[in-house]
Amino acid sequence: MILLELDKISKNFTDFKAVNQVSFKVNEGSIFGLIGPNGAGKTTTIRMIVNIIMPDSGQIKFLGEEIVPDQIGYLPEVRGLYKKMYVEELLLFMAKLKSMKTKEAKEQIDYWLKKLNISDWRRKKIEELSKGMQQKIQFITTLLHKPKLLILDEPFGGLDPINTNLIKDIILELKESGTTIIFSTHVMESAEKICDDILLINKGVVILCGKLSEVKKNFKKHNVLIAYDGSDDFIKKSTEIEKFNNYGHYVELQLKQGGNAQRILEQAVQDKVVIQKFEIKEPSLNEIFMEAVGTDKNGGGNYE
Ligand code: ADP
Ligand code: MG
């Protein structure tokens, strides 16, 4: 079932197209990665979903209707909490804003403080906490009311590797329990590990969208790793190869667009080369990203 649907959403800031005809669908119970370089339009897109800014054109539908704010948990990119409040007091206050009953709110607060290894700090003031801890508290505020949809804008920004992993695990657990999660990131490794679907956006325009596994499969430039014994003529002769790095008995090569790895293998067999290993390596999301975005030297800007 489709939980959220954006249909040709656009947003201009004066004459600048921050988001340009962006469409995508988010399936219920999935993890959706909104990825792209700085300035791509991720935050602007998210702000339109959570109703902070209005799109100039296009439609956003949540279960076919207008967004119901209580069903969304939102972690903004620019974090900010009331610094003078105590951790527990603040969490309770935020829970009340989401119409939670005190008993349930307290149970949830206990649960999440423990889960995020931050229980010892519950009676401290926010300003006494490190940035990372404050971020964890803000993350909790987005979850307390058990939203159907969780939208996290750069959730790993400013976290150390241990806490990044902790948040990543919680995102996966939340998915298991039926929560739909949209998160934005410019760090491909984070997205690669946990996303079911991705949308790659650059300069406000969608470049790639779909199931991560499909995106990888359809990405033309596959790398092939071959361990072999014999002449390397089958590599030199091949018309399938864009470039290669030969180490004598081991070659790493990149196929041409539309190149067929099978033909390389056939040639090797014909040449009586002994193949010890033949691996077609899927491109990493980072490679896809660099290929799609990295070659563009104009930087982030889409003026008309
Ligand atoms: P991302 O989150 O992908 O890094 P943003 O959505 O924050 O990108 O920004 C996209 C572009 O829109 C950027 O070039 C940014 O400078 C511009 N932008 C964002 N918000 C505003 C605004 N309120 N006024 C003018 N320009 C903005
Ligand atoms: Mg952003």
Side-chain angles (χ1 to χ4, degrees), residues 186-197:
H186 61 278
V187 186
M188 296 307 117
E189 288 75 16
S190 321
E192 178 139 38
K193 283 184 194 141
I194 58 175
C195 287
D196 298 300
D197 303 289

Side-chain angles (χ1 to χ4, degrees), residues 13 16 18-19 36-45 47 77 153-154 201 300:
F13 293 115
F16 176 80
V19 174
N38 293 324
K42 304 181 295 294
T43 296
T44 306
T45 302
R47 288 176 147 183
E77 182 176 29
D153 199 353
E154 303 277 356
I201 179 174

Side-chain angles (χ1 to χ4, degrees), residues 28-61:
E28 197 162 13
S30 67
I31 300 179
F32 188 95
L34 196 52
I35 64 179
N38 293 324
K42 304 181 295 294
T43 296
T44 306
T45 302
I46 287 176
R47 288 176 147 183
M48 289 190 277
I49 299 172
V50 297
N51 241 331
I52 292 174
I53 53 173
M54 290 283 288
D56 295 332
S57 58
Q59 269 198 326
I60 302 178
K61 291 226 167 111

Side-chain angles (χ1 to χ4, degrees), residues 6-129:
L6 273 71
D7 186 24
K8 300 205 187 84
I9 290 296
S10 293
K11 182 72 193 175
N12 290 8
F13 293 115
T14 54
D15 58 348
F16 176 80
K17 290 189 173 183
V19 174
N20 192 355
Q21 301 268 321
V22 167
S23 301
F24 61 89
K25 292 172 184 170
V26 180
N27 291 312
E28 197 162 13
S30 67
I31 300 179
F32 188 95
L34 196 52
I35 64 179
N38 293 324
K42 304 181 295 294
T43 296
T44 306
T45 302
I46 287 176
R47 288 176 147 183
M48 289 190 277
I49 299 172
V50 297
N51 241 331
I52 292 174
I53 53 173
M54 290 283 288
D56 295 332
S57 58
Q59 269 198 326
I60 302 178
K61 291 226 167 111
F62 182 79
L63 286 170
E65 315 249 329
E66 286 205 345
I67 295 269
V68 185
D70 272 0
Q71 298 192 353
I72 295 188
Y74 166 53
L75 178 73
E77 182 176 29
V78 179
R79 334 270 193 225
L81 297 167
Y82 305 100
K83 301 241 180 280
K84 299 288 173 197
M85 282 178 96
Y86 292 92
V87 168
E88 211 169 15
E89 178 193 17
L90 175 107
L91 288 172
L92 201 55
F93 171 72
M94 297 303 280
K96 293 278 175 180
L97 285 183
K98 298 283 184 182
S99 327
M100 287 180 81
K101 298 244 165 21
T102 308
K103 183 168 173 287
E104 198 205 349
K106 284 190 168 165
E107 281 167 11
Q108 283 296 308
I109 290 167
D110 279 352
Y111 174 83
W112 285 110
L113 285 173
K114 209 175 277 169
K115 185 111 187 154
L116 284 154
N117 303 322
I118 203 163
S119 290
D120 291 349
W121 296 81
R122 62 194 304 152
R123 287 182 232 297
K124 301 275 183 201
K125 278 190 179 167
I126 296 292
E127 63 188 2
E128 295 176 76
L129 272 55

Side-chain angles (χ1 to χ4, degrees), residues 101-225:
K101 298 244 165 21
T102 308
K103 183 168 173 287
E104 198 205 349
K106 284 190 168 165
E107 281 167 11
Q108 283 296 308
I109 290 167
D110 279 352
Y111 174 83
W112 285 110
L113 285 173
K114 209 175 277 169
K115 185 111 187 154
L116 284 154
N117 303 322
I118 203 163
S119 290
D120 291 349
W121 296 81
R122 62 194 304 152
R123 287 182 232 297
K124 301 275 183 201
K125 278 190 179 167
I126 296 292
E127 63 188 2
E128 295 176 76
L129 272 55
S130 71
K131 278 265 176 304
M133 286 178 193
Q134 291 186 26
Q135 191 164 331
K136 288 205 246 181
I137 299 298
Q138 190 153 4
F139 182 59
I140 295 176
T141 67
T142 68
L143 295 173
L144 284 173
H145 62 298
K146 299 185 181 161
K148 242 186 161 58
L149 174 63
L150 197 57
I151 302 181
L152 310 169
D153 199 353
E154 303 277 356
F156 307 111
L159 289 182
D160 62 37
I162 294 174
N163 283 314
T164 297
N165 216 33
L166 185 64
I167 300 291
K168 182 206 83 186
D169 285 345
I170 291 174
I171 291 176
L172 288 171
E173 273 177 43
L174 286 164
K175 177 195 160 177
E176 285 302 308
S177 63
T179 310
T180 307
I181 297 126
I182 300 176
F183 77 94
S184 81
T185 187
H186 61 278
V187 186
M188 296 307 117
E189 288 75 16
S190 321
E192 178 139 38
K193 283 184 194 141
I194 58 175
C195 287
D196 298 300
D197 303 289
I198 61 151
L199 179 109
L200 174 56
I201 179 174
N202 188 31
K203 296 181 184 175
V205 179
V206 175
I207 294 184
L208 282 170
C209 184
K211 256 176 145 23
L212 180 56
S213 54
E214 295 286 318
V215 166
K216 284 188 166 196
K217 213 160 68 189
N218 293 337
F219 190 73
K220 303 294 189 304
K221 288 192 176 163
H222 284 78
N223 290 326
V224 184
L225 312 178

Side-chain angles (χ1 to χ4, degrees), residues 228 231-241 244 246 251 253 264 267 271:
Y228 67 97
S231 162
D232 62 0
D233 279 354
F234 75 101
I235 304 163
K236 292 182 181 154
K237 277 194 286 199
S238 174
T239 52
E240 311 292 327
I241 301 170
F244 64 87
N246 196 357
V251 63
L253 57 88
I264 300 170
Q267 187 63 53
D271 291 3

